[in-house]
Amino acid sequence: MYRSVYHVFYAIGKRQFSLEAAQIAKANPKIESPLTDLFGRHHKYLRISLTEKCNLRCQYCMPAEGVQLSEKSKLLTADEVVKIAELFVKEGVNKIRLTGGEPTVRKDLVDIIYNLKKLKGLEVVAMTTNGLVLTKQLIALQKAGLDILNISLDTLKADRYEFISRRKGWNRVMMGIDLALQLGYKPVKVNCVVMKGFNDDEILDFVELTKDRNVDIRFIEYMPFTGNKWEVDKLVSYKEMVNKIKEKWNDFTPLKNGPNDTSKAWKVPDYKGQVGFITSMSEHFCGTCNRLRITADGNLKVCLFGNTEVSLRDAIRNNCSEDDLLALISAAVKRKKKQHAGMMNISQMANRPMILIGG
């Protein structure tokens, strides 16, 4: 379904592809780095999906009928993950986030984190997880070097959790959040996808969770992906959420954000934690995007909502030189568009289901 751009260029010769990348750079002398696009955005943040598998079946992420998973032989090995990461770090990436599927289902996760932390110039290794097995794994992950932890949780009600995720486990996730706080992850970031008529009645409850816990609740606008039956009527916008919170806390205050932050930070004064909003639909942040993604089967996606992909896995397995790999990456990055197509257009575009992209 997802035809690799690499296959096209590999078929007509790697030199031609390298030449094209060089021509793009020559025409734009300010765009020298392979990780800088034609709009001057330098990408220092790489998200790597480690697996397509997940031990949940969340309704907004995976189609009810499931998805066709790649054969194990087509997924990146641990060595390939580290090799790709090393290449990007050499070019300026200083933060890597491990995603899935669910990254904790990979048995070599601890080794991957340990080897990533050896890379000179890499400052942060983060992970997004559903939190189901953190009470068993987090101590080992922290010892391996895991710096930042995001835990996905869309409800504070156990019965609703089972409805949303089609699995049990809410209590284990809450214990995982508490363990992360005990181990010194401050803040623990909690990702909550908000959907109208689904869990938007819990927005205030999530904010209240920041009173005594140093958590960063990150409300995420519902986004369209293949198979998740996205409807604009289910979208709860950033402004709607803020207005709802201000009805209870009129002193709810915006905080200063970094230049590449995806989350707009807010806080209830005197509360221990804070709140953030990821506004991909109502107020996109494409102009400051510094993120690239590697799927579990080794494809480079320069935009979450784009459907053009380049297979780094195939390049590596065909013994592509490092220079040609960089040319491949550079040409892909320099095709990155100024911004995504808008939520109504995105909902009509072919793309992978979220679980096959990486959260």
Side-chain angles (χ1 to χ4, degrees):
M1 181 182 294
Y2 302 98
R3 191 179 182 192
S4 166
V5 175
Y6 176 78
H7 286 141
V8 177
F9 285 99
Y10 196 83
I12 61 177
K14 293 183 290 183
R15 289 185 180 181
Q16 183 172 339
F17 193 77
S18 301
L19 178 61
E20 181 179 344
Q23 289 173 338
I24 291 173
K26 185 176 180 180
N28 300 271
K30 293 183 179 180
I31 313 299
E32 296 180 355
S33 168
L35 303 188
T36 301
D37 66 19
L38 299 184
F39 302 98
R41 295 173 296 201
H42 184 62
H43 299 80
K44 301 174 70 175
Y45 181 5
L46 182 65
R47 302 172 71 101
I48 304 176
S49 175
L50 297 181
T51 179
E52 297 173 349
K53 293 181 179 179
C54 186
N55 40 16
L56 296 180
R57 295 291 183 272
C58 295
Q59 296 187 33
Y60 58 84
C61 180
M62 183 183 290
E65 65 275 13
V67 296
Q68 182 66 46
L69 299 177
S70 302
E71 297 174 12
K72 185 177 179 181
S73 63
K74 294 183 178 180
L75 301 181
L76 294 175
T77 66
D79 287 344
E80 288 170 338
V81 167
V82 175
K83 181 173 183 176
I84 289 172
E86 183 176 20
L87 184 65
F88 278 85
V89 170
K90 284 180 180 178
E91 296 302 321
V93 163
N94 59 16
K95 178 179 180 180
I96 289 178
R97 176 174 298 279
L98 302 176
T99 69
E102 171 51 40
T104 59
V105 305
R106 255 192 92 140
K107 295 180 180 179
D108 52 5
L109 176 60
V110 170
D111 291 336
I112 290 172
I113 292 173
Y114 177 78
N115 286 315
L116 289 176
K117 288 296 291 184
K118 290 180 180 180
L119 299 180
K120 187 177 180 180
L122 182 59
E123 299 171 7
V124 174
V125 174
M127 182 179 74
T128 298
T129 173
N130 61 32
L132 273 181
V133 298
L134 283 181
T135 53
K136 296 179 180 179
Q137 295 188 10
L138 188 52
I139 291 175
L141 297 173
Q142 186 180 55
K143 287 182 179 178
L146 183 65
D147 299 300
I148 294 176
L149 189 63
N150 287 51
I151 301 172
S152 299
L153 181 67
D154 303 311
T155 180
L156 297 175
K157 300 177 181 180
D159 57 342
R160 182 174 286 179
Y161 178 90
E162 186 174 347
F163 171 72
I164 292 174
S165 66
R166 305 186 179 107
R167 296 291 186 274
K168 294 182 179 181
W170 181 83
N171 288 320
R172 282 185 282 161
V173 178
M174 294 303 295
M175 288 190 291
I177 291 172
D178 288 337
L179 176 61
L181 290 168
Q182 292 170 23
L183 292 177
Y185 287 97
K186 296 180 180 178
V188 174
K189 297 181 179 182
V190 178
N191 295 346
C192 177
V193 177
V194 181
M195 291 165 280
K196 194 165 291 183
F198 209 58
N199 62 349
D200 57 321
D201 59 331
E202 295 189 61
I203 290 173
L204 300 184
D205 296 331
F206 271 102
V207 175
E208 187 64 25
L209 201 66
T210 69
K211 182 176 182 178
D212 300 314
R213 288 180 172 92
N214 192 357
V215 292
D216 181 358
I217 302 295
R218 294 152 60 88
F219 293 121
I220 303 172
E221 291 180 340
Y222 183 38
M223 296 177 280
F225 294 96
T226 295
N228 74 348
K229 298 180 180 179
W230 184 89
E231 298 173 13
V232 68
D233 290 343
K234 293 180 182 178
L235 174 67
V236 184
S237 72
Y238 164 48
K239 288 183 178 179
E240 287 179 271
M241 288 188 272
V242 169
N243 289 338
K244 186 170 187 174
I245 295 169
K246 280 191 169 184
E247 288 177 4
K248 180 170 182 178
W249 293 281
N250 57 18
D251 55 353
F252 190 52
T253 305
L255 304 176
K256 186 177 181 180
N257 299 299
N260 299 114
D261 286 348
T262 59
S263 178
K264 295 176 173 65
W266 289 69
K267 186 176 179 67
V268 177
D270 299 325
Y271 274 31
K272 202 167 185 179
Q274 65 182 57
V275 176
F277 301 88
I278 299 179
T279 64
S280 303
M281 296 294 95
S282 65
E283 295 185 20
H284 72 75
F285 34 82
C286 302
T288 58
C289 178
N290 69 337
R291 294 167 300 287
L292 300 171
R293 294 170 182 266
I294 307 293
T295 61
D297 57 352
N299 282 10
L300 170 63
K301 284 179 72 76
V302 297
C303 175
L304 173 62
F305 301 108
N307 52 17
T308 301
E309 302 179 1
V310 177
S311 180
L312 303 186
R313 176 204 65 199
D314 289 354
I316 289 172
R317 293 181 183 180
N318 280 288
N319 298 315
C320 190
S321 71
E322 186 170 306
D323 285 345
D324 283 337
L325 267 173
L326 287 175
L328 184 72
I329 293 167
S330 179
V333 170
K334 286 168 177 55
R335 287 190 183 86
K336 184 170 182 176
K337 296 181 179 179
K338 186 176 182 180
Q339 63 190 56
H340 67 59
M343 63 181 178
M344 300 312 296
N345 290 325
I346 291 170
S347 66
Q348 303 300 316
M349 292 168 58
N351 198 0
R352 298 188 184 214
M354 187 60 175
I355 193 167
L356 299 184
I357 296 175

